[in-house]
Amino acid sequence: MPARTPALPRTARRALMQPLLCAALAAAWAGVSAEEIVINPGLVQTLPPNTRIIKPAAAPASAPTTAAAASAAPAPVRAAVAPPPQDGALASLGSELGGRIQQLAHDSAVLGSGNKNTRVEIEVGALDPRLRLAPCQKIEPYLPPGLPTWGRTRIGLKCVQGSKAWNVSLPLTVHVWRPALVLRDALPAGTVLLASHLMEAEVDLAAGTGMPVAEANGLVGRSLQRGMAAGSALRQPDLKARQWFAAGETVKVVAGGAGWAIATEAQAMNPGIEGQTIRVRTEAGKVLMGRAVADRLVEVAL
């Protein structure tokens, strides 16, 4: 009678069966037969002689080196990514809400420009896709206080009739077009502007800081603060500040109000740089503060 193989201790049998059970469960989950289970080679070497191996692991195959081998390899499975759900609260109102948003932004931009003939273009952005808003039967757009009326700005959307109140903001880009003077050609910094450098074109007021200069007499003789490309609108920050007079020169000082005005002469105590506040001393020795506004002219606010 052949000698019986001694039985393994219970702890050894448990340690042996655990990886086999895991492999069998994985095969059942994946829908493959037990014969397709692949056992790690390191585990095979540690099994007792009487252990039945379902299928030893094959040696790792080398990477395919030919086009045929590459084409035979199974194509990777790509998970389908579902598009984000649409916000039913806004989609339910559709073009009606979009029209009110456009009209509110348009009226605000025209009012801010001070010209009814201003051409306005509005680009409506999108809400944060992470928002999940409750259904709403009535949404009111409004202008949040303190935000600009053109350029990159926002408009508020408030649910005033629904199961749950909410208040969000929608990004907008508002372009405000108006005729103004632009450069005919590219010019370097320091160029003294001539009438031949300028031409009229429609420009976006919201594309820069400050209003574009629309009159040639406000530009001719001015120097460029920086180099500018052809077609650029000219705004005050693009121009060097003018010096209207030097310190020590005699200047005319004017002050006025509703229905009255006075003028006198004084001596400038500082250079008269355009837009800057300076001090002047009158003949009576009184020191006044004012702004240099033109050639040897100081405006005092009383």
Side-chain angles (χ1 to χ4, degrees):
M1 178 181 294
R4 297 178 62 184
T5 302
L8 292 173
R10 178 178 298 179
T11 56
R13 291 200 305 272
R14 183 177 299 173
L16 175 64
M17 293 302 296
Q18 184 174 5
L20 296 176
L21 288 173
C22 291
L25 289 173
W29 181 264
V32 298
S33 64
E35 286 74 14
E36 294 175 352
I37 300 174
V38 177
I39 300 177
N40 188 292
L43 176 63
V44 174
Q45 298 174 5
T46 62
L47 298 178
N50 292 344
T51 303
R52 176 174 173 268
I53 300 173
I54 298 175
K55 184 179 180 182
S62 58
T65 56
T66 65
S71 61
V77 178
R78 296 185 179 181
V81 179
Q86 296 297 317
D87 193 329
L90 297 184
S92 63
L93 292 184
S95 60
E96 191 271 337
L97 176 60
R100 286 193 289 149
I101 291 172
Q102 293 266 355
Q103 190 63 50
L104 181 60
H106 176 275
D107 294 346
S108 176
V110 171
L111 182 63
S113 71
N115 189 334
K116 293 182 179 180
N117 297 322
T118 300
R119 185 169 68 87
V120 177
E121 290 180 356
I122 301 168
E123 298 175 12
V124 181
L127 292 174
D128 189 329
R130 296 170 295 182
L131 289 174
R132 292 296 179 265
L133 304 177
C136 185
Q137 288 74 47
K138 186 177 181 181
I139 301 174
E140 286 293 342
Y142 68 95
L143 293 173
L147 290 183
T149 56
W150 61 51
R152 293 185 180 272
T153 185
R154 288 183 172 270
I155 197 166
L157 299 175
K158 179 167 54 177
C159 178
V160 296
Q161 184 181 337
S163 58
K164 186 176 181 180
W166 45 259
N167 193 345
V168 296
S169 61
L170 180 69
L172 298 177
T173 302
V174 182
H175 303 279
V176 182
W177 300 94
R178 186 190 293 177
L181 293 174
V182 301
L183 291 180
R184 191 180 299 274
D185 302 296
L187 295 176
T191 301
V192 178
L193 294 174
L194 306 174
S196 58
H197 291 146
L198 308 172
M199 66 178 185
E200 189 177 83
E202 192 178 46
V203 301
D204 184 5
L205 304 185
T209 303
M211 295 290 287
V213 181
E215 300 293 334
N217 57 9
L219 291 174
V220 174
R222 302 290 300 274
S223 299
L224 291 181
Q225 181 75 19
R226 58 187 181 87
M228 301 186 69
S232 298
L234 295 160
R235 308 168 192 255
Q236 288 301 328
D238 302 323
L239 307 170
K240 290 184 177 180
R242 290 172 285 195
Q243 180 172 331
W244 293 115
F245 47 83
E249 287 193 67
T250 299
V251 296
K252 182 179 181 180
V253 180
V254 296
W260 64 274
I262 59 173
T264 187
E265 288 188 344
Q267 184 181 39
M269 301 176 66
N270 311 100
I273 306 299
E274 181 180 24
Q276 294 185 6
T277 300
I278 66 162
R279 297 183 301 164
V280 295
R281 180 182 287 111
T282 66
E283 293 181 353
K286 186 176 182 180
V287 176
L288 302 174
M289 304 289 290
R291 288 187 312 112
V293 294
D295 186 27
R296 297 184 183 180
L297 180 63
V298 176
E299 189 178 77
V300 175
L302 296 179

